[in-house]
Amino acid sequence: MASNEYEFLRKHHKHEVGENQCSSYLIKRIKAPIDLVWSLVRRFDQPQCYKPFVTNCYCDLQGGIKVGSVREVEVQSGFPASTSTERLEILDDEEHVFGVRTFAGDHWLKNYTSIVTVHSEMVDGQPGTLVVESFVVDVPGGNTKEETWYLAEALIKCNLKSLADVSESLAAKGSNPGG
């Protein structure tokens, strides 16, 4: 792990991990500018813009996207979930930090908390973005920590790959969905 990656984890990705929980982090480098990537990550009301397993999202944002906002997410069939109710815990547009906690729904990610940070970085000699996502989640009865960790990481890897694909495609077209 590079020293800047360690510093990002130490500064922003703090989770209290209980005895029957697992936690980890993943890193993804994206060949797109930070403002474009951040505009996708911060869209609490539209996670389906880059999360391939989300089919719909409903939230009442009369006061705008802010800490405390709640969304109801529908997940595609065939996945070990159908709905998830999530609360926006962190939204820092200065430091580019986004945190969500899942607190209800029909899914296996009980007490799931995720923190995503985005950081400006040169990728292949071009302005790019380093994305760090960390999580903590309860280990469901009948599963091991390793099984839970593996499944959560697989889901996050898919989401981060999709975030990279969408961001890089938009960057190639010269568009920015949030700007």
Side-chain angles (χ1 to χ4, degrees), residues 9 36 56 75 81 83 85 105 120 122 143 147 157 167-168:
L9 284 168
L36 191 151
N56 288 305
V75 180
T83 63
T85 306
S120 186
M122 295 300 284
N143 292 86
E147 291 166 334
K157 283 178 185 175
S167 298
E168 290 169 2

Side-chain angles (χ1 to χ4, degrees), residues 13 24-26 112 114-117 131-135 156 160:
H13 296 266
S24 189
Y25 68 91
L26 290 101
Y112 179 84
S114 169
I115 298 173
V116 179
T117 58
V131 179
V132 181
E133 183 163 356
S134 63
F135 71 91
I156 292 170
L160 291 176

Side-chain angles (χ1 to χ4, degrees), residues 1 4 18 33 39 66 68 86 96 111 114 122 135-136 141 144 150 169:
M1 174 186 323
N4 65 333
S39 72
K66 63 182 183 282
E86 304 168 351
H96 299 113
N111 294 318
S114 169
M122 295 300 284
F135 71 91
V136 63
T144 67
Y150 180 81
S169 175

Side-chain angles (χ1 to χ4, degrees), residues 8-57:
F8 298 146
L9 284 168
R10 189 190 63 71
K11 183 175 182 182
H12 300 293
H13 296 266
K14 299 174 183 163
H15 297 283
E16 290 187 28
V17 183
E19 187 175 323
N20 197 35
Q21 293 183 311
C22 66
S23 180
S24 189
Y25 68 91
L26 290 101
I27 293 172
K28 181 73 174 173
R29 286 175 170 75
I30 299 177
K31 297 176 188 175
I34 189 172
D35 290 342
L36 191 151
V37 176
W38 178 244
S39 72
L40 295 169
V41 169
R42 76 173 312 280
R43 290 304 304 262
F44 182 73
D45 59 329
Q46 292 184 10
Q48 66 272 29
C49 70
Y50 75 90
K51 293 186 175 186
F53 302 112
V54 174
T55 57
N56 288 305
C57 177

Side-chain angles (χ1 to χ4, degrees), residues 36-138:
L36 191 151
V37 176
W38 178 244
S39 72
L40 295 169
V41 169
R42 76 173 312 280
R43 290 304 304 262
F44 182 73
D45 59 329
Q46 292 184 10
Q48 66 272 29
C49 70
Y50 75 90
K51 293 186 175 186
F53 302 112
V54 174
T55 57
N56 288 305
C57 177
Y58 307 98
C59 50
D60 181 8
L61 297 176
Q62 292 178 355
I65 298 173
K66 63 182 183 282
V67 171
S69 297
V70 174
R71 69 185 178 194
E72 180 80 18
V73 174
E74 290 180 359
V75 180
Q76 74 182 21
S77 64
F79 196 70
S82 60
T83 63
S84 179
T85 306
E86 304 168 351
R87 180 181 188 276
L88 183 59
E89 298 284 317
I90 304 167
L91 181 61
D92 184 336
D93 286 317
E94 295 288 320
E95 295 278 332
H96 299 113
V97 183
F98 180 86
V100 173
R101 180 176 57 89
T102 299
F103 64 90
D106 177 25
H107 57 82
W108 58 271
L109 292 173
K110 303 297 181 201
N111 294 318
Y112 179 84
T113 301
S114 169
I115 298 173
V116 179
T117 58
V118 299
H119 312 275
S120 186
E121 179 177 270
M122 295 300 284
V123 178
D124 293 340
Q126 300 292 321
T129 304
L130 174 77
V131 179
V132 181
E133 183 163 356
S134 63
F135 71 91
V136 63
V137 65
D138 287 359

